[in-house]
Amino acid sequence: MKLASCFVSLVLSSLATASIFGGQTILEDPALSVPGDNPLTFCKATKDDKLVIEYVDLIPNPPEAGKVLKIEAAGNFTEEIAEGAYVLLSVKYNRLITLFSSKENLCDQMKNVDKECPLEKGKINITKEVELPARIPPGTYDVLADAYDKEDQKLTCLTAKVTFKA
């Protein structure tokens, strides 16, 4: 569960600048890559998203077991985000086994990066450090974060694929 929490923190911190499996397909289109040094991609074209992500940097990238993962991100909200916003989160192991799946209150999660709702329209910067467990089972982890405002309008949708070797 600690590993799932780390992945969730990774994606939520990315979301926080901006904002996991709800029937979405993980795409590997280079045009959908999230700017910065990271394994993130957008689920689809982002022209209507209410969160415009400028960049997300992971240090180190790729993340390493037993190391501290630093996440730095910046983005812009096109409008104020009020209480009631939420994110659908999921972590899958080797594409088959769901380790974690839930619907989370985005405003509650934003407190983990020292932000509170309402999230004001305009620029947001996030920095978060997450300690990864020393023992992470080798394999590929697929993470999805699909975020919505209280009216069910898309904020953003992000996916990540991270592989840990034995």
Side-chain angles (χ1 to χ4, degrees), residues 67-98:
K67 305 271 178 153
V68 172
L69 174 64
K70 184 175 183 179
I71 304 155
E72 296 177 345
N76 283 287
F77 284 110
T78 61
E79 62 185 55
E80 181 178 279
I81 306 304
E83 285 285 344
Y86 63 95
V87 59
L88 302 174
L89 299 168
S90 177
V91 177
K92 284 196 172 196
Y93 176 69
N94 289 337
R95 293 199 167 200
L96 299 174
I97 301 167
T98 300

Side-chain angles (χ1 to χ4, degrees), residues 103-122:
K103 179 178 179 178
E104 300 289 330
N105 179 313
L106 181 60
C107 293
D108 287 347
Q109 296 300 319
M110 294 301 291
K111 293 174 186 173
N112 294 326
V113 290
D114 300 322
K115 304 291 182 190
E116 291 187 12
C117 285
L119 298 166
E120 295 180 12
K121 176 181 177 179

